[in-house]
Amino acid sequence: MTAMQPDLKKKKRFERLTDAQLLTIISGGIFLLMYGAALLLIEAFRKPQVFFDITNYYSYLIIIACSLTVVMIGGGINISVGGVICLTCMVCSIFLNNCGIENQTLLVLATFVIAIGIGAIFGAFQGALISYLEIQPFIITLGGMFLARGLTTILSGGENVPVSETNPFTLWINNAAIKIPALGTTRVRKGQVYVNPATLHWVTIIAVVVVIGIYLVMRFTKFGRNTYAIGGNTQSSQMLGINVKLTRFNTYLLSGVLSGLAGFVFMMFNGAGGKTGIGLRSEMDAIAASIIGGTLLSGGVGNVIGSFFGAIILGTLQKIIWFSGLQEAYWQDMANGVMLGIFIVMQSVVLSVRGKGKMHLPEWLKYSKKNR
Amino acid sequence: MPKEDNQVVLTMRGICKQFPGTRALNHVDFTLRKGEIHALMGENGAGKSTLIKVLTGVYEKDAGSIRIEGVTGEAKIHSPQDAQNIGISTVYQEITLCPNLTVAENMFIGRTRSAFVNWQARNKRTTEILESLNIPARAKQELSRCSLAVQQMVAIARAVDMQCKVLILDEPTSSLDEKEVEMLFGLMRDLRDKGVAIVFVTHFLEQVYAVSDRITVLRNGELVGEWPVAELPQVQLVATMMGKSLNDLESLELVGQKSVGSEEVVYEAENLSSTESKPFDFSIRRGEVNGFTGLLGSGRSESVRAIFGADQVTGGRVRVKGKNVQIATPHDAMKNGIGYLAEDRKRDGIIADLSVRENIILALQVLKGFFHPMKREEMEAFADEYIKALQIKTASQDTPIGSLSGGNQQKVILARWLLTHPDYLILDEPTRGIDVGTKLEIQRLVLKLAEEGMSVTFISSEIEEMLRTCSRLIVMRDRNIVGELTGDQLTQSQVMQTIAGGKQ
C-alpha cells in the first residue's frame, strides 16, 4: 500500500482538474483568444458596445444553451426548445393584444407567468414520457418541436401577430436597458458634445443570472449532483440509490422552464410580437454552444459556464464574419460548422490524451507509455 | 481467523428461483456468521449469481425465507434499496459507481436526504474513511482517475460506511493484478476483524484459500454443502463443484481407439493471445485429437476462439503446416483449413430461418467467395450426401434448420464444416444439450475423422467424453494453461488434480 503513495503525490495540478473543468477552461480560453484577435485586427470591434451587442442579442441563446446543458449532462437531449420559444412568443403576443390589462406591472408579470408556464408544461410532458415511459428523448422532443411549431401556426393562422407600439408591455421593454455613458462613444459636432452611451439590455443581466443560478444548482444541490451521476452511469446511479426517473424528469422540467424564459427574454429584446419563424434552428445553435462549452453528448460531463462561453463564442464569430464583410448567412453557417468540428476533435484529443476518451487517437498522435 | 462465538448474521432457507426453462435455485440454504469471509463457489450456471441477486433484491425469490440480524421476522427484500436499508451491500465485478464524479461524491451520492451538498463536510469525512481503511485515493480525485482496484475499494468503503452487516463481493478480483488483489485482501481481512460478514464470490480457487474461512458449494442450482476451509482441500473442492466423487472416477473405463496422430504438425501457435485470452502456446499434429479442459470460465473456449480468430487477436505467431500465416479473422482461419464449431449453437451456429441445405453449404460458399455461386444441383448433391452420411433426421433439405432437434441441428453444423474439408477442426461443446445416442455418434465420428488424418480439438464439459476421445488434454485454470496430460495420465482424478492445482 505504501508503494502507491509516491504515485499519488506525483500527480500534477493539470491532472487534478476534472475533465469538465478542463473543457470549460479551454472554451473560456478560446473565447478570450478569439476576442483578443478580433480587437487587434478589426477596428470596429474596439467599441465596448460590440460586446454588449453580442450578449444582448444572444441572451436567449445563452439561456437555452443552459437548458440544453442540463439535459445533456443527464444524458438526454431536448430539441424542442426553439419551438417552445416560438410558441411562447406567439401565445404571449396574443395575450398582450387581447387581455386588456392596463396595469403595466400586472401585465408584465402575467406575461412572464404565461411564458414560464408554457415552458413548464412542455418540459413536464416530455420529461414524463421520456423518463417514466422510457421513450427516446430525441423522438419525444422532436415531436415536441413539431407540436410547438404546429400550435404556433394554428394560433396565428400563419400570420404574424404584431403587438402595438402603445401596449404597456412594449412601453416597458423599451426602457429595459441600462445606458452606460462611460463606455459609449462621443462625437463633437458644431462645438456640441454628443454622447452615444453603451447599452446593456436587461436581458444580458437575466442571462448571466440564469447561468450563475444554474451553475450553483448543478454544483451544490442534490438534484444537480444526481444529474451528473445519471449522465455518467445510469445503472450505477440506480444501484447507488438515486431516484433516476425523478432526476431525469426534473432535468426536462427545468429545461422546459428555461425555454419559456428564453421566449420571454427574446420578446424583451426583439419586441413583443409573434412570428412563426422565431427561434428556428436555435436548438441546434444551443447544442453547438453546449458542446463548444465542453458538455459531452454522452452525458455526465459539462457545466453551464462553458455553455455561456460557447454561446458568446458563436456570437463573436458571427460578428467577426460580419465585420469582415462576409454578410451572407451561409458564411456564418460554415464558420459555425467548422468551429464545432474543431471543438469536437479537440475535446476528443484532450480526453484521449488523458487516457479515457471515447474516441481513440491514431497511433502517431499518442505519446508512448514509456514517456510517462 | 474466524471468531469463535460464530454469531449468525444471515440465514437463507429453502430459496427457490425459477426462470423460463430452467430451475436456477432449488431449495438452497445459506448461512453467514459475523466476522467471517465466506466463499460461495460453483461452476458457471451453478446458481451463485442468482443467489446473490435474490439476496440483494435484483431478483424476487419464488420461495424460501431470508432472515437477517436486526430485523424481526422475515426480511422483505424487493429492490437493491431494500437490501441496502437492512444492511446488505454489494460490490459487483463491474464497478457500479459513477466514473465522472469524485471519490467523495461516489461515497455519499444517493444516501443523503438534504437537498444541498456540503462539499467540505463530504470531503473531510471521505478523507477520514479512506485513511482509516488505508485506501490510496484522495477525496477530490475523479473516480475514473483511480485504478480499478482503488475504485473497487471505494465501492467497499461506501458499503462499509453505510453500516452494512453483510458485504457481498461478486468476483471483485477478476480485473485486478496480483498486487491489487493483495491490497483488496488486506482490506477484506481488516473488515472481517471489525465484524463484517463477507460473502466472497470468485472463480479463482487459490484466492478462496488465501482469504476465506468457510466455503459453500452450489451445483446446478442446488446446495452441495458447507465446509470450513481447512476441511475441504482444493482438489476435493473441484470434485465437489463438478459433482464427482474421487473414488468413482478412478474406475471409469475408456472406450474406443484413440488417435495420437502422425509426426507432422498441422497447426502451431506461439504466444497467441486475444482480447479475451492470455498468451498461450499450442500445437496439434495431423490426425491427433486433443482437448481443452478446465472449469467453465477457465478460458478454454476463449483459447480456441483465439485460434480461429473469432475474438480480436492481439499477438502471437501462428504456423499452419510449417508456414507462417496471419489469422486475424475467421475467414483467414478457414482459408488455412481450420474449421470451428462454436460453443453457442443458437447464437454462433445455425441460421434458424434458412433451410438445412443452405446451412450446410454456408461455410463452403464463404470459402469460394460470394462471386462464385454454386450450382443448385451441386448444393443439393452436397446436402444429400451429408444428410445421409451423418444420418440427419430432417423432412427434406428445404426444411428450416430451426425446426430440427438440437442433435440434428448440431449435425448440420458439423456437416457444414466437414464439407469444407478442413485439416484442423475445432469442436467446442459439440455434444451440449443433445441426446446420448447422438453424443456417441459424434464421439465416434471424431475418432473416425482423426483416423482419416484430420486434426481435431474437442472441448466438452463432460470429462468422461473427453477422456474417451482425446489422446492429449490441455488443462486450463484462470485463463492459463496449467498442465498437459497424455497416455496414462488421462484419468479423471488426474484431470481434477491438475485443475485444482496439484494440491491434495
Side-chain angles (χ1 to χ4, degrees):
Chain A
M1 241 163 265
T2 42
M4 300 265 310
Q5 295 298 358
D7 272 3
L8 282 172
K9 279 179 191 157
K10 252 193 267 170
K11 297 243 156 105
K12 289 173 201 143
R13 184 103 200 126
F14 166 76
E15 293 252 50
R16 288 203 194 173
L17 292 172
T18 62
D19 287 341
Q21 288 166 340
L22 186 68
L23 293 172
T24 305
I25 290 170
I26 290 175
S27 66
I30 296 267
F31 168 71
L32 291 179
L33 276 178
M34 211 161 98
Y35 209 87
L39 284 177
L40 282 177
L41 300 173
I42 303 170
E43 192 163 339
F45 245 83
R46 291 178 199 158
K47 283 185 283 184
Q49 182 61 44
V50 173
F51 182 72
F52 292 147
D53 281 349
I54 294 171
T55 57
N56 289 344
Y57 183 75
Y58 285 101
S59 53
Y60 79 100
L61 181 63
I62 293 171
I63 294 173
I64 54 172
C66 291
S67 147
L68 251 305
T69 304
V70 171
V71 172
M72 281 161 69
I73 290 172
I77 193 81
N78 181 0
I79 54 171
S80 70
V81 290
V84 172
I85 288 177
C86 185
L87 180 65
T88 307
C89 290
M90 185 59 74
V91 173
C92 289
S93 302
I94 293 172
F95 171 77
L96 289 171
N97 284 341
N98 298 306
C99 71
I101 299 173
E102 289 301 324
N103 183 324
Q104 197 182 47
T105 320
L106 190 65
L107 184 67
V108 170
L109 271 178
T111 314
F112 182 75
V113 169
I114 289 173
I116 298 292
I118 291 170
I121 290 169
F122 260 81
F125 263 109
Q126 296 182 140
L129 290 172
I130 290 163
S131 119
Y132 292 100
L133 295 184
E134 300 188 356
I135 310 177
Q136 283 282 331
F138 185 87
I139 294 165
I140 291 297
T141 56
L142 184 67
M145 176 177 102
F146 289 144
L147 181 67
R149 296 232 172 252
L151 279 174
T152 311
T153 311
I154 290 173
L155 287 176
S156 65
E159 304 290 325
N160 290 347
V161 180
V163 174
S164 88
E165 294 282 327
T166 55
N167 191 297
F169 187 81
T170 312
L171 296 174
W172 177 69
I173 57 177
N174 283 344
N175 291 319
I178 302 166
K179 307 274 184 201
I180 311 171
L183 296 174
T185 48
T186 49
R187 226 167 8 161
V188 183
R189 187 186 285 174
K190 293 180 188 161
Q192 191 90 41
V193 180
Y194 292 90
V195 177
N196 189 7
T199 312
L200 179 64
H201 202 275
W202 289 2
V203 292
T204 299
I205 296 165
I206 295 177
V208 169
V209 168
V210 165
V211 170
I212 295 171
I214 300 292
Y215 173 79
L216 294 176
V217 165
M218 296 307 283
R219 176 109 184 110
F220 290 105
T221 68
K222 189 167 145 184
F223 159 73
R225 301 323 294 171
N226 287 358
T227 304
Y228 278 95
I230 65 169
N233 188 334
T234 311
Q235 227 178 342
S236 292
S237 305
Q238 188 102 46
M239 295 285 203
L240 291 173
I242 292 167
N243 189 337
V244 172
K245 290 188 172 171
L246 180 65
T247 308
R248 189 174 286 145
F249 171 82
N250 283 339
T251 61
Y252 285 97
L253 181 61
L254 179 57
S255 172
V257 167
L258 289 175
S259 315
L261 178 64
F264 187 80
V265 161
F266 188 90
M267 281 196 301
M268 273 180 80
F269 186 69
N270 296 287
K275 292 191 190 106
T276 47
I278 289 175
L280 213 54
R281 281 194 7 184
S282 62
E283 56 276 338
M284 297 302 153
D285 289 338
I287 293 172
S290 298
I291 291 174
I292 290 173
T295 305
L296 297 188
L297 263 176
S298 48
V301 175
N303 86 49
V304 290
I305 307 280
S307 307
F308 170 78
F309 284 125
I312 58 175
I313 282 173
L314 288 180
T316 308
L317 198 61
Q318 305 303 307
K319 273 280 182 219
I320 292 174
I321 293 168
W322 180 265
F323 282 130
S324 313
L326 304 168
Q327 291 171 0
E328 293 87 356
Y330 55 82
W331 284 112
Q332 308 191 347
D333 286 350
M334 275 172 56
N336 280 356
V338 170
M339 202 67 195
L340 197 57
I342 291 173
F343 263 89
I344 288 177
V345 170
M346 201 169 64
Q347 281 178 6
S348 305
V349 170
V350 168
L351 293 187
S352 300
V353 167
R354 303 186 93 210
K356 52 181 285 257
K358 299 254 149 60
M359 204 174 85
H360 289 290
L361 281 175
E363 283 302 323
W364 55 269
L365 250 177
K366 287 180 189 163
Y367 56 93
S368 76
K369 279 186 180 147
K370 283 174 208 159
N371 296 342
R372 259 186 245 212
Chain B
M1 280 294 104
K3 298 242 170 77
E4 285 307 314
D5 48 60
N6 277 354
Q7 199 186 341
V8 172
V9 178
L10 171 83
T11 51
M12 301 175 80
R13 289 288 174 265
I15 305 293
C16 293
K17 176 74 195 172
Q18 186 94 31
F19 288 119
T22 49
R23 177 144 230 184
L25 291 176
N26 191 4
H27 293 97
V28 173
D29 297 345
F30 183 70
T31 310
L32 191 64
R33 295 158 193 84
K34 205 174 179 120
E36 73 171 359
I37 298 176
H38 195 135
L40 183 59
M41 302 296 293
E43 289 194 287
N44 289 0
K48 291 173 297 186
S49 307
T50 315
L51 188 68
I52 297 294
K53 283 181 175 159
V54 165
L55 183 55
T56 53
V58 178
Y59 293 153
E60 290 265 355
K61 59 184 188 298
D62 295 337
S65 69
I66 302 175
R67 281 165 197 278
I68 184 163
E69 184 204 58
V71 179
T72 43
E74 269 189 45
K76 290 182 185 62
I77 304 173
H78 303 294
S79 71
Q81 262 69 57
D82 289 348
Q84 265 180 22
N85 292 341
I86 59 170
I88 301 172
S89 287
T90 318
V91 174
Y92 295 93
Q93 174 179 3
E94 314 85 40
I95 287 155
T96 49
L97 298 175
C98 291
N100 57 328
L101 304 182
T102 66
V103 169
E105 279 205 278
N106 272 297
M107 292 277 297
F108 288 100
I109 199 160
R111 288 170 55 190
T112 49
R113 296 193 153 265
S114 154
F116 295 95
V117 177
N118 184 343
W119 284 93
Q120 270 190 330
R122 220 171 237 205
N123 289 337
K124 191 161 161 261
R125 175 88 186 105
T126 304
T127 309
E128 283 167 20
I129 299 168
L130 294 176
E131 270 169 16
S132 75
L133 294 175
N134 265 329
I135 299 173
R138 285 190 315 270
K140 289 184 189 173
Q141 203 172 11
E142 231 177 344
L143 188 79
S144 58
R145 312 222 69 79
C146 304
S147 72
L148 276 180
V150 172
Q151 294 189 23
Q152 198 77 265
M153 293 169 98
V154 170
I156 293 174
R158 176 186 162 99
V160 171
D161 191 53
M162 291 172 77
Q163 312 289 327
C164 69
K165 299 182 195 102
V166 176
L167 175 62
I168 301 166
L169 303 177
D170 190 359
E171 298 274 5
T173 55
S174 52
S175 40
L176 308 184
D177 66 29
E178 252 167 72
K179 242 197 221 151
E180 294 174 327
V181 168
E182 239 351 279
M183 262 164 65
L184 186 67
F185 283 179
L187 180 58
M188 283 167 70
R189 290 189 193 104
D190 272 4
L191 293 175
R192 172 184 64 191
D193 296 342
K194 285 178 183 159
V196 180
I198 299 175
V199 181
F200 181 40
V201 181
T202 183
H203 62 266
F204 296 100
L205 297 178
E206 276 91 359
Q207 295 185 354
V208 171
Y209 287 89
V211 291
S212 306
D213 305 310
R214 205 176 285 273
I215 302 176
T216 289
V217 178
L218 300 182
R219 188 177 62 240
N220 295 331
E222 290 179 16
L223 175 72
V224 182
E226 187 202 276
W227 294 269
V229 79
E231 290 169 25
L232 189 70
Q234 202 160 334
V235 62
Q236 196 78 46
L237 172 61
V238 172
T240 319
M241 283 164 68
M242 293 177 124
K244 304 272 157 35
S245 101
L246 280 176
N247 302 336
D248 283 356
L249 308 177
E250 302 289 0
S251 60
L252 198 110
E253 239 180 296
L254 303 176
V255 195
Q257 188 61 47
K258 290 198 280 192
S259 175
V260 183
S262 66
E263 285 298 299
E264 186 198 339
V265 174
V266 171
Y267 174 92
E268 200 177 354
E270 230 176 272
N271 268 325
L272 183 65
S273 65
S274 75
T275 50
E276 306 298 319
S277 73
K278 290 187 184 170
F280 64 99
D281 294 341
F282 171 75
S283 70
I284 188 164
R285 293 192 295 263
R286 177 172 294 283
E288 182 186 355
V289 180
N290 76 359
F292 280 85
T293 185
L295 295 173
L296 284 173
S298 61
R300 50 187 206 208
S301 289
E302 288 77 4
S303 302
V304 292
R305 285 176 69 84
I307 292 173
F308 191 62
D311 294 325
Q312 197 191 330
V313 174
T314 50
R317 288 200 313 188
V318 171
R319 271 188 296 279
V320 171
K321 287 186 252 174
K323 265 194 299 187
N324 282 322
V325 293
Q326 184 120 38
I327 296 181
T329 64
H331 194 228
D332 294 344
M334 285 163 68
K335 281 189 290 191
N336 283 298
I338 303 176
Y340 168 63
L341 186 135
E343 180 183 16
D344 190 339
R345 182 171 62 233
K346 287 217 171 61
R347 205 190 64 194
D348 298 335
I350 64 169
I351 298 175
D353 297 331
L354 292 188
S355 69
V356 169
R357 179 183 60 249
E358 286 161 319
N359 267 289
I360 288 180
I361 59 109
L362 199 61
L364 186 62
Q365 181 69 75
V366 169
L367 264 186
K368 286 191 165 196
F370 286 98
F371 298 108
H372 301 92
M374 287 157 49
K375 290 201 189 92
R376 174 85 181 194
E377 304 90 74
E378 208 181 348
M379 295 197 281
E380 282 175 4
F382 280 138
D384 264 341
E385 184 190 334
Y386 279 91
I387 288 174
K388 223 174 271 167
L390 298 179
Q391 296 168 352
I392 300 170
K393 291 190 190 69
T394 171
S396 78
Q397 44 171 274
D398 289 309
T399 314
I401 192 173
S403 61
L404 269 57
S405 75
N408 282 305
Q409 287 181 5
Q410 197 66 291
K411 285 183 184 175
V412 172
I413 307 302
L414 204 52
R416 173 193 295 172
W417 290 111
L418 295 181
L419 185 57
T420 64
H421 297 291
D423 299 312
Y424 174 28
L425 182 61
I426 302 165
L427 303 174
D428 194 355
E429 299 274 10
T431 59
R432 178 189 284 176
I434 64 181
D435 60 282
V436 182
T438 316
K439 272 185 191 178
L440 285 174
E441 263 177 67
I442 288 180
Q443 289 167 25
R444 244 176 263 137
L445 180 71
V446 166
L447 292 177
K448 188 169 145 256
L449 290 170
E451 212 169 291
E452 288 166 7
M454 193 185 289
S455 315
V456 181
T457 290
F458 188 90
I459 296 179
S460 168
S461 303
E462 293 174 38
I463 294 196
E464 301 91 331
E465 202 170 71
M466 301 190 65
L467 291 173
R468 245 174 264 158
T469 47
C470 302
S471 59
R472 185 162 61 104
L473 270 185
I474 290 159
V475 183
M476 300 199 66
R477 184 191 338 125
D478 304 343
R479 310 197 160 241
N480 288 314
I481 293 180
V482 293
E484 218 179 284
L485 307 175
T486 51
D488 295 345
Q489 297 170 310
L490 288 172
T491 64
Q492 203 144 359
S493 58
Q494 185 75 42
V495 171
M496 292 215 175
Q497 256 171 43
T498 317
I499 291 176
K503 288 175 222 151
Q504 271 291 357

